[in-house]
Amino acid sequence: VNIPAFIFQPLIENSIKYGYSYDHPELVVKYSVCKENNKIVIKVENNGAPLLKPPGMLMENGIGLSNIKYRLKNIYGDNFVCRIGNKEIVNGKIPGVETIIIIPHYHKTL
């Protein structure tokens, strides 16, 4: 299985850069990759500061995220998902942010 190069670096960088704050000094960043229904699911999440801007704005205006989105579009056309958002509220608080990428499972060199 091939995952396009340099997908993780900007996701993890953003998770650290925007997740860490004085209110969230003990930042934990987790990532996972798994196969689900012939798709590869890549997830990067943190327990840090919630998003303050709308996810769509981040996907279009953020350099790292927009580069990932355009690279995936060049490789997979419209056959991919790339989204970022606050995690579901727990006990009245947003427990962090997650970014999810879903791409086709191919056995070829990208």
Side-chain angles (χ1 to χ4, degrees), residues 62-86:
I63 293 171
L65 293 174
S66 63
N67 282 345
I68 288 172
K69 182 179 170 186
Y70 292 123
R71 286 181 57 224
L72 294 174
K73 185 153 184 73
N74 283 333
I75 296 168
Y76 303 109
D78 290 327
N79 192 18
F80 74 94
V81 172
C82 184
R83 66 176 180 253
I84 186 170
N86 290 322

Side-chain angles (χ1 to χ4, degrees), residues 11-23:
L11 296 178
I12 292 172
E13 181 181 333
N14 279 352
S15 196
I16 294 168
K17 182 178 178 180
Y18 297 109
Y20 179 84
S21 70
Y22 289 113
D23 294 331

